[in-house]
Amino acid sequence: MCYLIVYDIASPKRLARVAKACLDAGFRVQKSVFECSLSPERFERVWHRLLTLIDPNEDALTAYPLCHACQSAIRSAGLPRTLTPQQALYLF
């Protein structure tokens, strides 16, 4: 199953940790958007890890499951941009 994980993290320290956890699970599509192909069990482990890294009073975290039909309909153009977690720190 493919999941789109997106976030808005207030603290640069937490941002780096969340970005690293997302990079461990998938690949960066945009600055705070990751595409992750995970089994349901692996997704639950990643999701639980992410929940331990955020502050729910300051941060936002969302995961969108993409069905097979949705995945096959994805369109993109241009070169993909990838950032390291260290580079992502400077975006916020």
Side-chain angles (χ1 to χ4, degrees), residues 2-79:
C2 186
Y3 298 88
L4 202 60
I5 298 177
V6 300
Y7 56 77
D8 185 9
I9 307 297
S11 159
K13 210 176 213 183
R14 286 193 308 273
L15 173 63
R17 291 180 185 139
V18 169
K20 166 100 172 68
C22 288
L23 281 171
D24 290 345
F27 67 94
R28 181 173 262 134
V29 177
Q30 289 187 353
K31 297 171 188 168
S32 38
V33 179
F34 288 79
E35 190 175 315
C36 306
S37 292
L38 306 166
S39 68
E41 297 81 15
R42 173 88 171 112
F43 169 75
E44 288 302 325
R45 288 193 301 272
V46 169
W47 185 251
H48 177 73
R49 179 179 176 198
L50 291 169
L51 292 178
T52 66
L53 298 174
I54 69 164
D55 179 341
N57 296 313
E58 295 184 358
D59 304 329
L61 176 67
T62 306
Y64 299 95
L66 299 177
C67 68
H68 180 68
C70 294
Q71 284 178 265
S72 63
I74 293 173
R75 293 182 184 189
S76 63
L79 297 173

